[in-house]
């Protein structure tokens, strides 16, 4: 299964991708996690990304594509993946298409987790308290939601027009949302 998970910050992409990874037994590729690992390691790329992420902006397309190519050069992505957090703008959507074509692959579905803004803000405020992530402060959250509306919403529209989009209601318990995603990608739920 080759899956692209889309949704606003706080919509549950990372949360559900972690579950899908175990269930579908394919790697979870989170561009946010890859960037945070670079920041934690203090690499030159991480130093460049740190401030951009903390204020809620997008890191440059060039850096992201380099990271993605590197990750997709590993063998474990050959038979499937869950891509979480990419693409976030139309240029990235085009770059992903080109990358997958060059690898002789296509994704099976782009799944958008749909959650209204009020609940997104509530969830991210909860995570700010629980985890203290640098970009979960109110100013950065406002910025991330605006960046999503301005730059990522057109990606959703693009996939919709290509008939590649499946919208899933992201409001509910973790199990409810997970079951909806499996139903949307037509994977049966085994008991337990
Ligand atoms: P990401 O790591 O992708 O962060 P995110 O959009 O906030 O989503 P995340 O997956 O972490 O959270 P989730 O919704 O699961 O990106 C962070 C930053 O990295 C970006 O702002 C940008 O600067 C940079 N970046 C990443 N990719 C990039 C790209 N392609 N191009 C340029 N820059 C890029 O969960 C949020 C909270 O909700 C959690 O606390 C969770 O527990 C809770 N939650 C989830 N599901 C819930 C449910 N059903 N009910 C209640 N709570 C729930």
């Amino acid at each position: 299964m080759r899956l692209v998970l889309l949704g606003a910050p706080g919509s549950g992409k990372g949360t559900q991708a972690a579950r899908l990874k175990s269930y579908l037994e394919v790697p979870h590729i989170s561009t946010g996690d890859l960037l945070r690992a670079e920041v934690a390691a203090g690499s030159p790329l991480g130093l460049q990304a740190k401030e951009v992420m903390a204020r809620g902006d997008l890191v440059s397309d060039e850096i992201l594509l380099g990271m993605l190519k590197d990750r997709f050069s590993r063998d474990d992505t050959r038979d499937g993946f869950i891509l979480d957090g990419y693409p976030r703008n139309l240029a990235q959507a085009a770059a992903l298409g080109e990358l997958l074509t060059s690898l002789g692959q296509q994704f099976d579905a782009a799944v958008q987790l749909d959650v209204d803004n009020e609940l997104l803000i509530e969830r991210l405020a909860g995570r700010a308290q629980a985890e203290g992530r640098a970009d979960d402060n109110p100013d950065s959250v406002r910025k991330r939601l605006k960046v999503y509306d301005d730059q990522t919403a057109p990606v959703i529209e693009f996939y919709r027009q290509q008939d590649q989009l499946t919208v899933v209601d992201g409001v509910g318990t973790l199990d409810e949302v997970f079951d909806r995603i499996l139903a949307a990608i037509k994977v049966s739920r085994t008991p337990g």
Side-chain angles (χ1 to χ4, degrees):
M1 175 67 64
R2 298 184 175 95
L3 214 58
V4 174
L5 265 191
L6 301 163
S11 59
K13 301 182 300 290
T15 308
Q16 295 297 336
R19 298 180 140 218
L20 289 163
K21 170 195 164 148
S22 316
Y23 197 79
L24 302 172
E25 295 181 333
V26 294
H28 168 204
I29 303 172
S30 158
T31 49
D33 287 350
L34 290 173
L35 286 166
R36 281 186 288 276
E38 295 286 345
V39 171
S43 69
L45 191 157
L47 291 176
Q48 256 182 285
K50 189 175 178 184
E51 292 307 314
V52 180
M53 291 173 77
R55 66 171 187 260
D57 275 321
L58 295 184
V59 176
S60 84
D61 291 347
E62 198 189 342
I63 288 181
L64 263 294
L65 185 58
M67 267 181 19
L68 206 64
K69 280 185 173 162
D70 187 47
R71 185 62 188 85
F72 272 90
S73 70
R74 283 165 54 185
D75 281 351
D76 65 340
T77 57
R78 225 179 263 165
D79 298 324
F81 56 80
I82 299 151
L83 185 55
D84 153 22
Y86 192 100
R88 266 177 151 92
N89 60 31
L90 286 172
Q92 292 186 5
L96 176 64
E98 281 169 26
L99 176 62
L100 291 180
T101 302
S102 75
L103 297 170
Q105 297 186 11
Q106 274 185 339
F107 62 78
D108 298 299
V111 174
Q112 181 206 356
L113 294 179
D114 187 30
V115 176
D116 68 48
N117 271 16
E118 215 170 299
L119 189 55
L120 294 173
I121 291 166
E122 201 178 294
R123 284 184 185 178
L124 293 172
R127 188 168 67 185
Q129 281 197 324
E131 296 176 21
R133 220 171 88 171
D135 57 349
D136 282 340
N137 67 79
D139 283 347
S140 300
V141 166
R142 258 193 302 277
K143 183 65 194 274
R144 285 157 66 200
L145 291 174
K146 179 161 172 28
V147 167
Y148 180 80
D149 283 344
D150 292 347
Q151 301 196 45
T152 312
V155 174
I156 303 229
E157 238 0 88
F158 173 72
Y159 287 140
R160 194 194 308 279
Q161 280 168 18
Q162 307 283 314
D163 262 340
Q164 289 174 300
L165 183 75
T166 307
V167 181
V168 167
D169 180 2
V171 182
T173 65
L174 300 188
D175 279 344
E176 283 166 349
V177 177
F178 184 64
D179 285 345
R180 284 179 206 141
I181 297 174
L182 291 185
I185 60 175
K186 301 183 175 54
V187 170
S188 60
R189 177 81 142 120
T190 49

